[in-house]
Amino acid sequence: MILITGGAGYIGSHCAINFLNAGYEIAVFDNLENGHIETINTLKTIGKVNFIKGDLKNREEIRNVFKTYNIDAVIHFAGYIEVTESVQNPSKYYRNNIIGSLNLFDAMVEFSVKYIVFSSTCSIYGDAKYTPINENHPINPINPYGKTKLIIENILEDYDKAYGIKSVCLRYFNAAGADSKIRLGETHSPETHLIPNILKSIFEEDKTFKIFGTDYNTPDGTCIRDYVNVEDLAQAHRLAYLYLQGNNKSDCFNLGSEKGTSVKEVFDTAKKITGKEIKYQNAPKRQGDTPILYADSSKARKILGWQANKTIEESIKSAYEWEKFLRQ
Ligand code: UDP
């Protein structure tokens, strides 16, 4: 059985669908602080899902999962993910993300579970020294969120040397879009991410989309990111699991579309796809944002056989369908 921590969250739940579609039975461990019980109910209509409501900060709760189920591998998403909040409240991030991960990894050691795929981030690279960013780019996270992810990668490296735990760290760029059958999508509260915030400004009278920073050193002055479809990301986790089984060795991979798209370009594309005028205003830069990030994913292509197949247009379209579905 595959254990997915944070499987009621955005990327975790799409990953859960991917494993269910491939015929795996899964256990989802989630405290439902940011995940949703409706997501679990949806997953249960797709395949065999064992849901355990629990918190990784509680050692016994995660140990019990390994006692109860025969876990072959772990896909680890659970953690806080907001850059701005991590700058304002680093204690929350270090405590939750690091201690939670340690409890999980220690349970893996205790119950002899060898394989883990870890949800890491391109934030560990910090300000881009060059683009596209490959895995050899200097590592220098500039916010506590990115630092927690890097510390967890470092812990995994040491747990491999000492205890033989094999890990694949997947360094995502910006996850985007929704399940293509619109059963699941992105629902954070509060929502901080670009595409859902643009789309919510269509539906919500009192919401005006804010462009954070218009004087970055980029062609149109707004930040450039690499938006990679969430179903493509989900697929990478299964390929990473198969890689661990086949090669029994740890590694890390950048996952991106390998295309940089500015905030303004995403906004214009959303207007085109939805056919709507979208309320917006220019706003100050957001703390902890770096101007340009986009991926070189050639290593994932070569070694995992993974590539981003869906375009940003497809991601915006499914995200729009999901926002409509939420309001039915
Ligand atoms: N952004 C924005 N307005 C928003 C949300 C995000 O201008 O309401 C910008 C943000 O400053 C960044 C980009 O969109 O440059 C992507 O932000 P997001 O939070 O989606 O992902 P991140 O890159 O922080 O992981």
Side-chain angles (χ1 to χ4, degrees), residues 174 192-194 197 209-210 212 223 225 227 263 286 289:
N174 289 55
T192 61
H193 293 106
L194 177 65
N197 273 347
F209 167 63
K210 291 192 176 76
F212 294 140
C223 282
R225 293 286 180 276
Y227 297 89
V263 172
R286 195 172 64 172
D289 268 344

Side-chain angles (χ1 to χ4, degrees), residues 97-98 101 105 118 148-156:
N97 293 5
I98 310 283
S101 296
F105 303 160
F118 173 54
T148 64
K149 291 286 184 179
L150 175 60
I151 291 167
I152 296 164
E153 285 203 11
N154 289 338
I155 293 170
L156 283 171

Side-chain angles (χ1 to χ4, degrees), residues 112-127:
S112 305
V113 175
K114 262 181 41 180
Y115 297 141
I116 179 163
V117 180
F118 173 54
S119 155
S120 189
T121 170
C122 64
S123 289
I124 66 166
Y125 296 116
D127 289 323

